[in-house]
Amino acid sequence: MNGFAALYGGQVSRARAARVPLLFVATLQSLGILLLLRGVVDTTSDTTAQQVVAGSTVLVVAFVALNLLAQRFGALRASGALDHYATLPVSGAAVVLATAAAYATFTVPGAVLTAVVGALVYGLPLGHLWLLVLVLPLAGAGLAGLGASLGLLAPRPELATVLGQLGMSGVLFIGIIPAARLPEVLRAVRAVVPSTYAVDALALSFRTRWDTGLVIRDLGVCVAVAVAALAVASVAFRRAVRA
Amino acid sequence: MGGKATTVALPYRGRVTTALAPPRATAVALTGLTTHRGDVCVTDAVTFEIGTGEVFGLLGPNGAGKTTLVRQLVGVLRPDEGSVTLLGRDVTGNSRAASEHLAYLAQTEPALHELPVGLAVESVGRCRGLSKATAGAATTALLDELGLTELRSRPLCRLSGGERRLAELAAALVADRPLLVLDEPTAGLDVTARRRVWDALRTRRDRGVTVLLVTHNVLEAEQVLDRVAVLDRGRVIACDTPGRLKALVSDDVRLELVWRAEPPDHPLRSRALVDGRRWSLRLPAAEARDALADLTSGATLALLDDFTLATPTLEDVYVALGGRDNDLERG
């Protein structure tokens, strides 16, 4: 835990220099999409509104965890910096999580702002928004594992950047567009995208009728996805070090 | 320093007395490390031991396989064959297990570059198990020891190359690991900073810390190392104390000639290693004396810009064993 805190502190210090553009881009991007979709989707459907707001909120996390982390780990691999972490008594998963957590620290305001503004704009209840406390770290861990794996496995840092951006576009497309409106094939893809269950869990928080069972089910899947994604990232980390 | 001595056949010009085993309890044992990259043999059956509290060097030119060997020693690379044992524990290809015993300074440490010096050192200390308070105190002491106190809050990327290298070394030294593996720690340092590093290493050796130092600097090898393995094209071509290795060529002296213009057609040319206007010769003492008398007594003297006679260095040992001249750094 001491090692994780130290890594987190170091990464926060490193990311602090970029916090303003990071906050700005992550927040404005999601708010912009939220407001844009206000004029496009059927706002009389509660389910659609819930998914749009939840998807936009998780997008803030995806921007950081997928896009920026893929870039960061691609750059670390290319510069040979992974040896430094590999020869410290900390696990690869701790390195991935600490880096993701450091970036995520600067996106919490953006995610909360997106959820609150979205709920107000789409007329959704805010009573269960506390669920963000669970959804954001779980979605962040799952997507961070995926983003770090992309960065660590990509043979070149440029490719890591492209893969991260493609991943974020996937989350954007599949996360925000209501499942019922997706073609059959994409509905199947949606079922295996790590962020789907975080979006679904958060969407449940905007319902007027709270369903504990469904929330627990979706959060359970989020936990499983996060554990699996971090395990994959750990393996990718070891593989990248030896490459 | 008297290690177990064995006579081994070398692939090149002769046979030398080689101490592969250390004089004290073994801290590190490399056994038959062999690695291929395509058709190239990067490390070739490398075997030696390092004793507890010993400052052991790996000397060799760029491309000799030093860094590959070191990365295998710290567990980030798994060799095709052979094993690495640290303090009695097999850590072959297991950096996590190795990290419990050692601190590693790579040739560059880009992971730390965006951090302030103090935070970089402190966070490494905490990763190695120190509490926040202890890591802070250890950082203060280290920065003081290496003359970096005034740079504590400055990011490494804003330091000069030498200052950055010292800060990276400070991060490697924090938390007192029993084994230090340092890949060219003095690269880019000025003389004062280099001596500070050497002092820091001697202090730790006196405390019983084992040091593996990678260098291609002959002076560093002669000043700091208790024993040295000379590496060439992935093979250990000699392993002993610097003194014993130099004794291999003690009957010879090095004659360096620098010509003012295009070198003349002189009989020594065929025996010299020629680098532009500089000729380097290793000759028996009497022959060198005669050659120098001949060069300085006639018209040839006017063509000479400079000449020196020097006792042999580890570079001469390296060349005598078949290494390529000018591969090593003399400064």
Side-chain angles (χ1 to χ4, degrees), chain A residues 195-211:
Chain A
S195 58
T196 296
Y197 301 92
V199 173
D200 288 350
L202 190 58
L204 291 171
S205 78
F206 295 121
R207 285 191 185 176
T208 41
R209 273 193 63 199
W210 175 255
D211 188 332

Side-chain angles (χ1 to χ4, degrees), chain A residues 97-163:
Chain A
L97 257 184
T99 310
Y103 278 107
T105 301
F106 298 113
T107 61
V108 168
V112 173
L113 188 69
T114 303
V116 171
V117 170
L120 293 175
V121 167
Y122 285 83
L124 300 173
L126 285 163
H128 294 295
L129 205 56
W130 56 266
L131 201 59
L132 270 177
V133 174
L134 295 173
V135 169
L136 291 183
L138 289 175
L143 291 169
L146 188 62
S149 301
L150 292 175
L152 291 165
L153 294 174
R156 292 202 314 275
E158 303 83 15
L159 195 57
T161 303
V162 170
L163 290 172

